[in-house]
Amino acid sequence: MSNIISIKNILFGYQEDKDIFKDFSIEIPGGVTTFIGQNGTGKSTLMLLAAGRLLPENGQVKILDRDTKNITDEEELNRLASVIYQNMEFDTEETIGNLLKIVYQNGHHSDSVDDKLISEIVEVMELQNSLEKKTNAASKGEMQRVIIAFSLLYGSPIILMDEPVFALENDQKDRVFKYITSYAHKFNRHIIYSIHDIDISKKFCDNVVLFFKDGSAKVGPKEEILTREMLEEAYQVPMHLLHEREKLNRKTLLNRDKMETGLTGKVID
């Protein structure tokens, strides 16, 4: 499958963390791609660069052959790629049920709007009892499922998700990612997600971008990247200890204060 995002020779760093990426290049293929690697290797930062929400100091980022430096309109950018950030929260006067309809009607599925996709996603995301709530009354896990539903109903050609299910239980994670994968293939959407759960990546992706502590990354089909040797090199621990590390990472995410995102925020991961 052809590449959907091209990143060439970029330089990027926050003021106190210069050179998170230095002369960094990568081509991200279409389909469902997962970002994995240790904390501090730049997964979240690269996701924001790949989505055009951050711009490199030098080098070039292209989304579907469009240079992100030339996209100045936010709506135009959303029409290419939408982003789910970690710990997204917002208040509205509308109920969740009405918001789902509004997002769907204004998104990329609007040429064939009906209630079937909404009903399908509500069922998969277990939102039947959430439709009359406002967003400020939703739990963290409930809100994560709502935001995933928004992203799928809006249906940008590329959807980027930064740790979208860390507050969900394991059976919910599997159900959500199984649906996300089938949705991407059915509607010809490209989904990129970061996650600490290697088992989820093994089951629900086409391609992997594996980040290393030295600032490099390797990309390829999951069968080539998710090998014992490569994972142990990236995580710098024996394979049998990786699941313990994943549990600690999930606990850290659940207890983390709301992160700053946006153009001036510092989000490395």
Side-chain angles (χ1 to χ4, degrees):
M1 191 174 291
S2 60
N3 296 319
I4 56 170
I5 295 174
S6 175
I7 297 173
K8 293 184 177 179
N9 306 118
I10 63 167
L11 171 67
F12 182 85
Y14 301 99
Q15 185 174 0
E16 62 272 45
D17 288 291
K18 275 295 183 184
D19 301 344
I20 296 171
F21 295 108
K22 185 176 182 180
D23 197 25
F24 180 88
S25 299
I26 198 170
E27 302 284 339
I28 301 177
V32 181
T33 299
T34 180
F35 283 9
I36 63 171
Q38 294 191 61
N39 285 337
T41 51
K43 298 186 299 296
S44 295
T45 297
L46 189 67
M47 188 166 286
L48 294 176
L49 287 161
R53 271 55 177 187
L54 293 175
L55 297 177
E57 184 177 339
N58 292 315
Q60 183 183 67
V61 177
K62 284 188 174 183
I63 306 174
L64 299 175
D65 292 326
R66 295 284 307 279
D67 191 326
T68 58
K69 289 182 179 178
N70 298 329
I71 304 173
T72 57
D73 181 73
E74 183 177 356
E75 181 59 30
E76 183 182 2
L77 192 58
N78 286 332
R79 287 282 169 179
L80 290 172
S82 55
V83 182
I84 293 179
Y85 301 97
Q86 290 183 17
N87 290 328
M88 288 182 74
E89 296 177 1
F90 54 89
D91 295 335
T92 68
E93 292 302 314
E94 294 284 352
T95 64
I96 289 171
N98 285 341
L99 288 172
L100 292 172
K101 293 178 181 178
I102 292 169
V103 170
Y104 186 37
Q105 290 167 358
N106 288 277
H108 290 263
H109 299 290
S110 58
D111 56 342
S112 57
V113 168
D114 58 46
D115 290 334
K116 291 181 181 178
L117 185 59
I118 295 177
S119 298
E120 182 178 287
I121 290 176
V122 165
E123 181 177 355
V124 172
M125 302 296 162
E126 300 179 289
L127 297 175
Q128 297 92 333
N129 297 324
S130 308
L131 300 179
E132 298 304 316
K133 292 182 181 180
K134 295 182 180 179
T135 55
N136 59 8
S139 67
K140 185 175 287 292
E142 193 175 20
M143 198 61 207
Q144 282 197 317
R145 288 180 275 120
V146 168
I147 290 169
I148 293 170
F150 286 163
S151 70
L152 299 180
L153 288 171
Y154 187 73
S156 296
I158 302 172
I159 304 170
L160 300 99
M161 303 178 173
D162 192 7
E163 290 290 344
V165 297
F166 72 83
L168 305 188
E169 298 303 320
N170 287 335
D171 62 328
Q172 291 178 315
K173 291 180 184 180
D174 275 22
R175 182 166 57 253
V176 167
F177 273 109
K178 182 178 180 180
Y179 182 78
I180 285 173
T181 302
S182 65
Y183 167 96
H185 297 154
K186 178 180 179 180
F187 292 104
N188 193 29
R189 297 306 195 263
H190 309 287
I191 294 179
I192 299 168
Y193 68 88
S194 67
I195 197 167
H196 286 292
D197 191 326
I198 295 172
D199 286 338
I200 289 286
S201 295
K202 288 180 177 178
K203 288 188 285 187
F204 303 114
C205 76
D206 303 310
N207 311 290
V208 177
V209 179
L210 180 60
F211 291 73
F212 294 82
K213 274 292 190 180
D214 64 1
S216 66
K218 293 182 180 178
V219 59
K222 62 181 178 181
E223 295 83 6
E224 295 180 8
I225 302 298
L226 296 180
T227 64
R228 181 188 186 97
E229 294 75 17
M230 205 168 289
L231 288 171
E232 288 184 344
E233 179 185 352
Y235 284 90
Q236 300 175 332
V237 296
M239 192 70 178
H240 69 275
L241 294 179
L242 281 181
H243 289 297
E244 292 302 317
R245 175 168 285 188
E246 288 169 14
K247 290 178 183 177
L248 291 173
N249 284 330
R250 183 172 185 266
K251 184 177 180 181
T252 299
L253 285 168
L254 286 168
N255 294 325
R256 183 184 294 177
D257 290 335
K258 183 178 179 181
M259 299 178 70
E260 292 181 341
T261 50
L263 293 180
T264 59
K266 175 187 173 185
V267 185
I268 300 173
D269 198 21

